[in-house]
């Protein structure tokens, strides 16, 4: 919630939906936090323009870890995405 607000306040509905979908997909596919961060932020090779949102690595990692933690709290299951 509040920890993510500084990062997501500037995102539009499409970006929020994209990140939410990426988190759910990462959870379901057992992806790592780093894989989720790359999907959120994009790749160096792509000039970080191939990601879902414009964010620093730290911001993308904070979003990925916070969302994964929220899923763990809701479900009681610990996925690979938190590793």
């Amino acid at each position: 919630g509040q920890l993510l607000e500084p990062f997501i306040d500037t995102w539009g509905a499409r970006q929020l939906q994209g990140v939410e979908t990426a988190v759910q997909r990462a959870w379901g596919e057992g992806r790592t936090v780093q894989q989720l961060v790359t999907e959120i932020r994009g790749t160096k090779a792509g000039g970080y323009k191939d990601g879902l949102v414009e964010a620093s690595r730290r911001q993308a990692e904070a979003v990925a870890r916070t969302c994964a933690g929220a899923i763990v709290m809701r479900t009681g299951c610990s996925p690979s995405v938190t590793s």
Side-chain angles (χ1 to χ4, degrees), residues 2-63:
Q2 286 184 322
L3 295 176
L4 292 179
E5 285 179 23
F7 305 128
I8 64 175
D9 279 349
T10 61
W11 299 352
R14 176 181 252 166
Q15 291 169 310
L16 286 170
Q17 182 61 47
V19 171
E20 182 178 337
T21 300
V23 169
Q24 291 170 349
R25 187 172 43 246
W27 169 270
E29 295 175 2
R31 293 185 188 181
T32 65
V33 168
Q34 187 53 48
Q35 289 170 318
L36 181 55
V37 168
T38 299
E39 186 170 355
I40 292 170
R41 184 175 182 222
T43 62
K44 184 175 182 178
Y48 302 104
K49 303 243 183 265
D50 54 347
L52 299 170
V53 296
E54 187 176 320
S56 71
R57 183 197 58 77
R58 290 181 102 175
Q59 291 170 331
E61 188 169 331
V63 169

